[in-house]
Amino acid sequence: MHRLLPAFLTLGAVGLALGKIPQGAIAPGSNPFSNVNWYVPTAWQSEVFGSIAKYAKSTSQWDRIPAAVVASQQPTAVWVATNEAAVDDLPSILRDASKSAGTDGHPTLVQLIVYNLPDRDCSAASSEGGWKVSEGGVEKYKGFIDGIAKLIRKYEDLRFAIILEPDALPNQVTNAGDPNSKCAKARSAHIQLLQYAIANFQAANAAVYLDSGHGGWLGWPDNQVAAAQLIKQIVDGLPKPARLRGLSINTSNYNPLLLPNITDKSDPNLKRLQWNPGYDSVHYAKALGETLATYNLSSLNHFIVDTSRSGTNIVLETDAWCNVKGAGFGLKPTYKSGYDNIDALVWAKTPGQADGTSDTSAARWDPMCTAATALQPAPEAGTWFHEYFTQLLDNANPKLI
């Protein structure tokens, strides 16, 4: 007796059998970021243009304008972080992206970051989500995923690269040890919902990358092993043939892409380097890929790296993550990373949007956002932070122009 596969797993196969290959289809085994036109969100451009308007008012700031224009031309990811965004904002964004899809023979790539788990950001407060597992959040999240999945299949002329739930997996690796912790209580729901999202995002025109933190968080061997074991649990629970393309790293963080070879990792002053084989993004991807291989997960040895704020080596001695002073733009987005296991360098974090507010009376205030390492005053997470954008421009490495 033949078991029928779910419709979302058979649509691509049927289309290929009939010779109707979607414009955005990804050839099996290929890099989804290659041979595409990367979508540049108009909302991102509007925010940059707002900063440019401020520079234009002062002759002492005019020299920032050319670099800001170059920044505005770089593709960034679209964050889908509330159910309302999935229902209202995303369709108009995809209609905009679809206008130019395939006009030069290449599909348009839209980068999505799906970030709305119930009890999201379970170890911090600055980007805490609105849904709770204890208040029907599981079913709400499934409906949220269903809405996004429907749009992905509707816009088959587009190609999608999806970063799934930043920080969810690493929080379960390092912040769920106490059974009474918020992360521990959400663990089973988070695993179930990550599996649900991966399974429902299966489409000929979509590639999914599960977020796996960064080397300053999970770079140490014990954390890598725990991460690989949890990834295996998630993957083994997927309906076949659902699969991941790979993993995203350094999303919204500041780790440098590549540092000089560190021969002495015993220096206690270099907190993120001490005894850490994954001390930068390149080394973290290499080490995690090797660890995954020991769990028969070599197929996931494909990474995308957020370089939006990785231009300076500012976090080697600290765990700071909120609006960190001294940050600068890193390398521009490209699929030519120079590394076989890195599909692309991307600007996942919208550069210039705040990590969290410095207002101690705010409901989502986190102490890290008023630490000495944080640029202040700062608005709520996800809000445009002109002074921070200016810092990224001034400290860009390499320079944008």
Side-chain angles (χ1 to χ4, degrees):
M1 180 177 179
H2 295 288
R3 180 175 177 270
L4 294 176
L5 291 173
F8 62 79
L9 296 180
T10 59
L11 287 174
V14 170
L16 294 176
L18 296 176
K20 298 177 180 177
I21 301 175
Q23 173 71 39
I26 304 166
S30 68
N31 182 349
F33 287 85
S34 65
N35 298 314
V36 294
N37 297 314
W38 297 29
Y39 176 63
V40 182
T42 54
W44 148 247
Q45 291 187 313
S46 295
E47 289 178 322
V48 176
F49 294 159
S51 285
I52 290 174
K54 291 183 178 181
Y55 300 146
K57 293 178 180 179
S58 172
T59 56
S60 64
Q61 299 191 66
W62 285 358
D63 60 350
R64 291 192 174 107
I65 293 176
V69 171
V70 172
S72 75
Q73 297 167 344
Q74 305 309 309
T76 60
V78 174
W79 287 71
V80 190
T82 67
N83 192 48
E84 290 76 17
V87 172
D88 298 328
D89 295 343
L90 190 54
S92 62
I93 291 170
L94 299 185
R95 284 195 297 271
D96 181 57
S98 185
K99 290 177 183 177
S100 60
T103 54
D104 63 353
H106 299 292
T108 295
L109 172 77
V110 177
Q111 301 172 78
L112 298 181
I113 298 182
V114 176
Y115 182 53
N116 202 25
L117 279 173
D119 293 317
R120 183 185 75 192
D121 201 12
C122 57
S123 68
S126 69
S127 52
E128 184 179 20
W131 289 338
K132 310 293 182 186
V133 172
S134 61
E135 299 174 358
V138 169
E139 290 308 312
K140 291 176 182 177
Y141 185 81
K142 288 181 178 179
F144 165 77
I145 293 299
D146 291 345
I148 300 171
K150 183 178 180 180
L151 287 169
I152 289 171
R153 290 191 287 274
K154 175 181 178 181
Y155 285 92
E156 60 180 12
D157 57 328
L158 300 175
R159 180 175 296 181
F160 295 88
I162 304 165
I163 293 178
L164 184 59
E165 295 296 342
D167 294 353
L169 182 139
N171 266 324
Q172 292 301 333
V173 171
T174 64
N175 295 316
D178 179 354
N180 294 315
S181 68
K182 186 176 176 181
C183 290
K185 291 179 179 179
R187 185 180 182 87
S188 62
H190 282 188
I191 292 172
Q192 173 195 352
L193 293 175
L194 289 172
Q195 291 170 329
Y196 187 88
I198 294 166
N200 279 274
F201 289 156
Q202 302 296 304
N205 61 331
V208 183
Y209 296 82
L210 178 64
D211 187 73
S212 55
H214 55 83
W217 192 347
L218 301 183
W220 289 270
D222 288 351
N223 286 346
Q224 286 185 46
V225 168
Q229 290 173 340
L230 183 53
I231 292 169
K232 182 171 178 58
Q233 180 181 351
I234 293 168
V235 169
D236 286 351
L238 293 174
K240 307 306 178 191
R243 63 183 297 276
L244 284 168
R245 166 64 182 179
L247 305 171
S248 59
I249 60 179
N250 202 46
T251 305
S252 290
N253 214 269
Y254 298 87
N255 276 23
L257 178 65
L258 180 67
L259 289 169
N261 187 41
I262 307 298
T263 56
D264 180 10
K265 300 189 183 70
S266 63
D267 186 345
N269 294 316
L270 299 177
K271 189 170 184 179
R272 289 196 175 187
L273 272 65
Q274 192 177 25
W275 311 117
N276 183 351
Y279 54 84
D280 59 29
S281 292
V282 168
H283 285 90
Y284 179 49
K286 179 178 183 296
L288 184 55
E290 292 170 351
T291 303
L292 290 170
T294 65
Y295 290 89
N296 297 316
L297 295 172
S298 295
S299 64
L300 301 185
N301 191 27
H302 302 282
F303 296 88
I304 54 177
V305 181
D306 186 356
T307 58
S308 62
R309 304 185 297 183
S310 68
T312 57
N313 305 332
I314 57 173
V315 293
L316 301 182
E317 302 173 26
T318 176
D319 289 329
W321 54 262
C322 187
N323 307 321
V324 181
K325 293 177 182 176
F329 284 111
L331 288 169
K332 297 174 186 174
T334 179
Y335 75 94
K336 296 180 179 179
S337 71
Y339 302 94
D340 291 341
N341 66 334
I342 296 179
D343 282 351
L345 308 179
V346 302
W347 284 6
K349 169 71 176 181
T350 304
Q353 288 187 355
D355 294 316
T357 181
S358 58
D359 180 0
T360 57
S361 66
R364 296 197 301 164
W365 168 73
D366 189 288
M368 191 63 76
C369 299
T370 47
T373 54
L375 190 67
Q376 302 171 56
E380 288 279 2
T383 303
W384 190 249
F385 189 178
H386 169 74
E387 291 75 16
Y388 208 85
F389 177 76
T390 299
Q391 175 185 262
L392 294 176
L393 278 182
D394 292 348
N395 295 332
N397 181 29
K399 295 298 182 183
L400 292 179
I401 55 173

